Amino acid sequence: MKFKLIMALVEDSHTENVIEASKSAGIKNLVFNTSSRFPQHETIVPGFGEKRMVDALLRDSGLPYICLRPTIYMENLAAPWSITDVNDNSCVKYPIADDRRVIWNSVEDVARYVVAALEKTELAGRIFDIGGPQAVTGKEIAQQFSSALGRDVIYKGITPPEFAKGLVPFLGETQGMGMVSYYEYVNENPENWGEVSDDLALLNYEPKDNFETWVSRLTPDVFR
C-alpha cells in the first residue's frame, strides 16, 4: 500500500504538485499536518489563510486524506529566543497568560500521530485536533521543568509584542513581529488550544510527552 505524508504545504502551486503526483502514484492516503489550529473564517493572522487554502485544495482534489491540527509545540521553548531564559535565569517566558490552560504537543508525538493516521485509510475525510496528554497552566509547566531539571523554575506570561520583539534578531522584523497577531488570537480564543477531538481515540495513539518527559529527554544537550 502506498502512502504520502504532507508535513507542510504553504503555497497553492506546491499543493497542486503534490495532488498531481499523488494521483499519478495511486496514493491511498494522505496526511496533512497543519502545524497549528486555525479558524475557518478570515483573520489577519499570517499563515491561517494559506492553511485553509491547502485544506480546500486537498478536499476538492478527491484524494483520500486526513487532516491533523496540532496545538502549540513544546519545541518553541527550546528555540534560541527561549532557551537562554530557561538555562540562565530558570524562567520559562511565553506569550500565554500564566493561568491559561493549554494543551501542548511535542514534535515526536505529532510525528507518531501522523504515522498512526497514515494507517487509518478508513478515516479519510476526517479532521482531528491533536495534542499532548494534558492541558497545563504556566505554573504547571514550571513545576514540570523544575522536576526535570532539579531546580526551581518559574513561568512568566509575557505580552505578544514582548515575545515578538525577541524573535526579530532571529527571524527578522517582518516575520518576528508578524507573530503578534498569532499569539493575540491564541489568547483571545483559548478553546482552540485547550481541547482535542472527542473521537481522537480512533487514531489509536496515546501521546507520551508531558513537559517533564520532554525536558528530561533534552537534558543536558539543550536544557541544563
Side-chain angles (χ1 to χ4, degrees):
M1 183 177 291
K2 298 178 180 179
F3 297 104
K4 180 66 180 182
L5 165 63
I6 303 177
M7 291 304 294
L9 296 172
V10 295
E11 296 181 6
D12 56 354
S13 60
H14 294 170
T15 309
E16 289 164 358
N17 288 341
V18 169
I19 289 171
E20 181 179 351
S22 298
K23 288 182 175 180
S24 298
I27 294 301
K28 301 300 182 183
N29 193 23
L30 296 144
V31 175
F32 174 33
N33 170 18
T34 67
S35 296
S36 172
R37 307 286 172 84
F38 63 93
Q40 293 302 316
H41 59 272
E42 291 291 334
T43 70
I44 64 170
V45 180
F48 282 178
E50 288 80 358
K51 295 177 192 295
R52 286 193 301 272
M53 176 272 297
V54 171
D55 191 48
L57 287 172
L58 288 172
R59 186 171 58 250
D60 293 343
S61 73
L63 286 167
Y65 82 103
I66 295 172
C67 182
L68 300 183
R69 305 197 310 173
T71 179
I72 298 173
Y73 283 90
M74 294 176 176
E75 282 69 17
N76 290 346
L77 298 181
W81 46 84
S82 298
I83 195 68
T84 299
D85 276 314
V86 176
N87 286 341
D88 295 350
N89 304 317
S90 294
C91 180
V92 177
K93 292 182 180 179
Y94 210 70
I96 295 177
D98 299 47
D99 59 352
R100 181 65 45 79
R101 192 168 289 278
V102 172
I103 294 177
W104 297 61
N105 44 237
S106 70
V107 166
E108 290 197 15
D109 270 332
V110 172
R112 293 190 181 105
Y113 265 122
V114 170
V115 172
L118 285 170
E119 299 176 349
K120 297 291 184 178
T121 55
E122 72 276 12
L123 298 179
R126 303 289 291 271
I127 298 173
F128 294 95
D129 286 340
I130 63 174
Q134 59 186 160
V136 290
T137 63
K139 181 179 180 180
E140 290 167 335
I141 291 172
Q143 289 171 341
Q144 293 191 33
F145 264 82
S146 298
S147 180
L149 296 176
R151 67 174 190 273
D152 288 338
V153 177
I154 64 170
Y155 178 93
K156 181 180 180 182
I158 59 177
T159 67
E162 283 181 276
F163 181 72
K165 192 176 297 183
L167 299 179
V168 171
F170 301 93
L171 304 179
E173 182 76 21
T174 300
Q175 191 170 353
M177 296 310 295
M179 296 305 295
V180 171
S181 59
Y182 175 81
Y183 283 103
E184 286 177 342
Y185 186 87
V186 171
N187 281 289
E188 292 167 2
N189 299 271
E191 68 282 357
N192 291 344
W193 280 264
E195 300 176 353
V196 296
S197 295
D198 292 337
D199 55 357
L200 193 55
L202 292 173
L203 293 178
N204 197 30
Y205 175 71
E206 291 288 335
K208 305 295 191 297
D209 285 333
N210 59 24
F211 273 104
E212 184 171 357
T213 60
W214 176 75
V215 172
S216 296
R217 189 167 66 245
L218 271 62
T219 303
D221 294 331
V222 177
F223 298 108
R224 60 177 192 275

